[in-house]
């Protein structure tokens, strides 16, 4: 496996929605591992890694249920849910949960995208509805006319970039069903799926609304017959991606991606990068050179949907071994940027402080008896999940990996017979070591400690 330069803190990223493509960095790394690099197999049809599933939403039954699955993360479910161990007869009284959206088409395109897909991207099985409140129920279908002069830049098929697929929607529905199996059926905490008990917030990306829709359907199929509000913030200041501008944070990140701890890994993998560039036509593209994010996205989006790794028009393909290296490097990069780097915490606090402020407010409102909701549920992106994981301290337990599709962090509040309240944090369906029974007041204080005072002024350098 990878060697982590300095295991410490946090992760976070954005679905390649990174406003951030601008890290002109360099790189080398240190220790890779033989175990990652599954040797020599060049079957382009599957991407395997020593420790994860990247080619199916369904984790094979011979693997543990909570195996890392990039296509569809493990999450809370009745079969593997356990009550808090220590208190006698505690009662669940409140919760917040945050998930990443489910699987989608690639967010990034190769310069000659069309030639690099032997299988079209078909989204005709999933209608894209979007319409004004009182109007007709319009949906749109994506077509790429054969005469379009720019067709070389997009795949053949009916999917746009970064579009939730039918498979992703189905995974979101199954996720909602599992969530209900615990918080509805097993615990009876939620008694019906309605907007009085459940507050839902998403980003402004369509796929996050669609995941909320699938999730609600899974919790209660009857919700398909009606409307359900989700809340968003204006995209320029949305805290969930996050997408508010923070030049001071960008400068901090640029600095820690300009030192050997980061640049060494780019240098060390120059051969890999050259092979990928030759096959994919990505040479000299700075956003493909500053990190492995785009390679990771374009490979895993394919393999999660049963598409082969890309082959170019001369028949040369990205090898499974190279793809396995890319996903390993992707994990390493996410852990470095959001967890392990010197100053990663400062970066996370600035870029995610506004979201953490909202969480802190939620729990304080609950504590004061004023939160009308039982559940506040958020659908975000990989950048949301990695920052939240890091700021909650999950990266202190073990290095953070790239948050998988449907990645989930649940924060439960339990009340004891003595009326004491405790928080339990569950990550990908498993309680987090050290965060299994935190006094509510302590939890709130630790959230607040991650929110810089005067964050707007700090971000903008004044
Ligand atoms: C996924 O990859 C693994 C490892 O290469 C392979 O055993 C499995 O059959 C593949 N699954 C699918 C659905 O392609
Ligand atoms: C971290 O921040 C400190 C204080 O601004 C700075 O001196 C240091 O160079 C930064 N480290 C890195 C790796 O950027
Ligand atoms: C296809 O990939 C091979 C191997 O990397 C490379 O030599 C060739 O130039 C590429 N062809 C095109 C058309 O990109
Ligand atoms: C990339 O840049 C190098 C150096 O400037 C140049 O020699 C090479 O032809 C460029 N490659 C492509 C594919 O543009
Ligand atoms: C549970 O109880 C055991 C034994 O009293 C204690 O060591 C442990 O720290 C407790 N765990 C939590 C999460 O409170």
């Amino acid at each position: 496996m990878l060697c982590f330069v300095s295991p410490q803190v946090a992760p976070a990223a954005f679905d390649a929605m990174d406003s951030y493509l601008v890290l002109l960095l360099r790189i080398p790394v240190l220790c890779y591992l033989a175990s990652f690099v599954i040797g020599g197999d060049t079957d382009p049809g599957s991407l395997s890694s020593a420790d994860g599933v990247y080619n199916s939403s369904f984790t094979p039954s011979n693997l543990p249920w909570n195996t890392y699955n990039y296509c569809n993360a493990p999450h809370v479910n009745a079969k593997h849910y356990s009550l808090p161990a220590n208190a006698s007869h505690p009662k669940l009284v409140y919760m917040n949960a945050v998930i990443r959206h489910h699987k989608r088409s690639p967010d990034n395109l190769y310069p000659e995208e069309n030639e690099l897909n032997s299988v079209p991207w078909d989204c005709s099985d999933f209608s894209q509805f979007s319409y004004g409140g009182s109007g007709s129920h319009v949906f749109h279908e994506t077509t790429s006319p054969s005469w379009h002069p720019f067709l070389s830049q997009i795949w053949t098929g009916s999917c746009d970039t970064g579009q939730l697929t039918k498979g992703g929607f189905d995974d979101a529905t199954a996720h909602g069903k599992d969530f209900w199996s615990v918080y509805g059926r097993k615990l009876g905490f939620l008694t019906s799926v309605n907007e009085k008990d459940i507050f839902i917030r998403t980003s402004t990306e369509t796929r996050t609304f669609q995941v909320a829709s699938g999730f609600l359907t899974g919790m209660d199929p009857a919700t398909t017959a009606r409307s359900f509000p989700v809340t968003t913030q204006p995209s320029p200041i949305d805290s969930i991606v996050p997408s508010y501008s923070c030049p001071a944070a960008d400068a901090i990140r640029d600095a820690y991606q300009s030192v050997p701890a980061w640049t060494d890994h780019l240098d060390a993998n120059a051969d890999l990068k050259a092979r990928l560039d030759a096959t994919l036509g990505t040479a000299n593209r700075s956003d493909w050179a500053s990190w492995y994010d785009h390679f990771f996205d374009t490979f895993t989006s394919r393999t999660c949907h049963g598409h082969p790794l890309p082959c170019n028009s001369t028949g040369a393909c990205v090898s499974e071994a190279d793809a396995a290296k890319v996903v390993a490097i992707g994990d390493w990069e996410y852990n470095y940027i959001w967890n392990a780097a010197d100053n990663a915490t400062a970066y996370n606090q600035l870029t995610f402080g506004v979201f953490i402020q909202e969480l802190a407010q939620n729990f304080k409102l609950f504590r004061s008896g004023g939160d009308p909701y039982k559940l506040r549920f958020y659908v975000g992106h990989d950048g949301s999940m990695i920052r939240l994981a890091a700021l909650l301290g999950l990266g202190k337990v073990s290095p953070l990996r790239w948050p998988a599709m449907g990645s989930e962090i649940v924060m439960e509040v339990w009340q004891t017979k003595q009326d004491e309240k405790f928080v339990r944090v569950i990550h990908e369906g498993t309680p987090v070591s050290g965060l299994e029974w935190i006094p509510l007041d302590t939890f709130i204080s630790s959230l607040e400690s991650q929110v810089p005072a005067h964050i707007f002024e700090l971000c903008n350098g004044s």
Side-chain angles (χ1 to χ4, degrees):
M1 322 240 4
L2 291 178
C3 300
F4 292 90
V5 179
S6 70
Q8 322 164 6
V9 203
F14 351 64
D15 266 326
M17 293 179 38
D18 230 348
S19 36
Y20 206 97
L21 312 166
V22 202
L23 315 166
L24 315 162
L25 316 167
R26 333 80 188 254
I27 312 274
V29 165
L30 323 174
C31 1
Y32 278 89
L33 4 351
S35 68
F36 270 113
V37 182
I38 301 177
D41 181 353
T42 51
D43 169 8
S46 65
L47 186 175
S48 61
S49 158
D51 53 0
V53 175
Y54 291 88
N55 61 356
S56 170
S57 289
F58 303 98
T59 299
S61 56
N62 61 319
L63 295 176
W65 73 275
N66 56 353
T67 297
Y68 176 91
N69 183 338
Y70 181 76
C71 305
N72 188 14
H75 51 248
V76 166
N77 64 88
K79 192 168 172 200
H80 300 101
Y81 185 84
S82 52
L83 293 169
N86 284 19
S88 60
H89 309 299
K91 195 173 147 215
L92 182 63
V93 287
Y94 183 66
M95 60 190 296
N96 280 202
V98 186
I99 69 167
R100 185 187 181 192
H101 61 76
H102 288 267
K103 70 186 183 182
R104 52 155 173 72
S105 61
D107 231 356
N108 298 281
L109 297 174
Y110 303 120
E112 297 285 336
E113 179 65 39
N114 193 274
E115 83 170 62
L116 291 156
N117 293 274
S118 57
V119 176
W121 280 91
D122 179 12
C123 287
S124 62
D125 51 0
F126 182 38
S127 303
Q128 302 291 302
F129 281 93
S130 183
Y131 53 91
S134 56
S136 303
H137 294 193
V138 167
F139 61 97
H140 70 91
E141 297 172 324
T142 301
T143 63
S144 302
S146 58
W147 49 265
H148 199 298
F150 291 73
L151 212 56
S152 63
Q153 297 181 354
I154 189 71
W155 47 68
T156 301
S158 51
C159 299
D160 205 337
T161 55
Q163 182 171 331
L164 191 75
T165 57
K166 176 65 161 53
F169 184 80
D170 291 345
D171 291 345
T173 304
H175 194 161
K177 193 174 176 192
D178 284 342
F179 195 85
W180 186 259
S181 76
V182 173
Y183 298 111
R185 201 160 296 125
K186 185 181 178 103
L187 299 179
F189 170 64
L190 297 171
T191 49
S192 80
V193 179
N194 67 72
E195 59 265 51
K196 288 206 175 61
D197 292 339
I198 303 174
F199 168 90
I200 302 181
R201 202 187 131 200
T202 69
S203 81
T204 57
E205 288 293 317
T206 302
R207 61 181 174 273
T208 63
F209 319 149
Q210 293 173 338
V211 163
S213 158
F215 199 92
L216 285 164
T217 303
M219 286 202 287
D220 179 4
T223 57
T224 57
R226 58 187 197 83
S227 309
F228 201 107
V230 305
T231 299
T232 56
Q233 290 179 349
S235 45
I237 62 164
D238 185 9
S239 66
I240 205 170
V241 175
S243 56
Y244 59 84
S245 145
C246 190
D250 296 346
I252 290 170
R253 179 167 162 183
D254 285 346
Y256 65 69
Q257 290 190 241
S258 302
V259 295
W262 172 265
T263 57
D264 285 353
H265 91 278
L266 298 180
D267 294 342
N269 288 290
D271 288 357
L272 168 66
K273 176 70 167 51
R275 278 197 302 279
L276 298 174
D277 285 343
T279 304
L280 303 170
T282 45
N284 298 352
R285 303 269 170 156
S286 62
D287 53 336
W288 293 78
S290 57
W291 59 344
Y292 280 81
D293 175 281
H294 296 11
F295 294 113
F296 186 112
D297 167 49
T298 56
F299 298 169
T300 57
S301 296
R302 283 169 167 76
T303 57
C304 283
H305 288 89
H307 294 199
L309 290 166
C311 297
N312 73 22
S313 55
T314 67
C317 302
V318 171
S319 71
E320 187 179 345
D322 281 352
K325 278 186 208 162
V326 165
V327 299
I329 294 170
D331 280 344
W332 184 89
E333 289 185 343
Y334 264 54
N335 187 62
Y336 177 83
I337 296 170
W338 287 281
N339 189 41
D342 269 347
N343 304 332
T345 299
Y347 175 73
N348 291 333
Q349 289 177 343
L350 287 170
T351 57
F352 215 50
V354 178
F355 187 80
I356 298 290
Q357 183 176 351
E358 178 169 337
L359 287 185
Q361 283 171 189
N362 295 345
F363 286 95
K364 279 160 73 175
L365 192 60
F366 164 75
R367 183 175 59 185
S368 70
D371 196 337
Y373 299 105
K374 293 178 165 180
L375 164 65
R376 288 181 184 259
F377 185 77
Y378 296 86
V379 185
H381 298 269
D382 47 4
S384 328
M385 302 313 298
I386 194 90
R387 288 173 172 84
L388 179 59
L391 290 172
L392 289 176
L394 274 54
K396 292 176 182 146
V397 180
S398 55
L400 296 172
R401 297 186 66 170
W402 195 308
M405 298 295 172
S407 174
E408 177 190 85
I409 293 177
V410 177
M411 291 154 275
E412 301 172 335
V413 182
W414 291 87
Q415 182 170 325
T416 65
K417 280 200 175 139
Q418 296 74 37
D419 282 347
E420 299 162 319
K421 296 187 183 66
F422 294 88
V423 174
R424 179 168 74 155
V425 179
I426 303 181
H427 183 221
E428 322 298 32
T430 301
V432 178
S433 172
L435 297 178
E436 291 157 298
W437 205 242
I438 307 287
L440 176 61
D441 292 345
T442 306
F443 184 72
I444 290 171
S445 304
S446 75
L447 288 177
E448 290 184 313
S449 73
Q450 304 287 7
V451 183
H454 310 295
I455 188 168
F456 176 79
E457 290 76 11
L458 276 177
C459 274
N460 292 291
S462 53

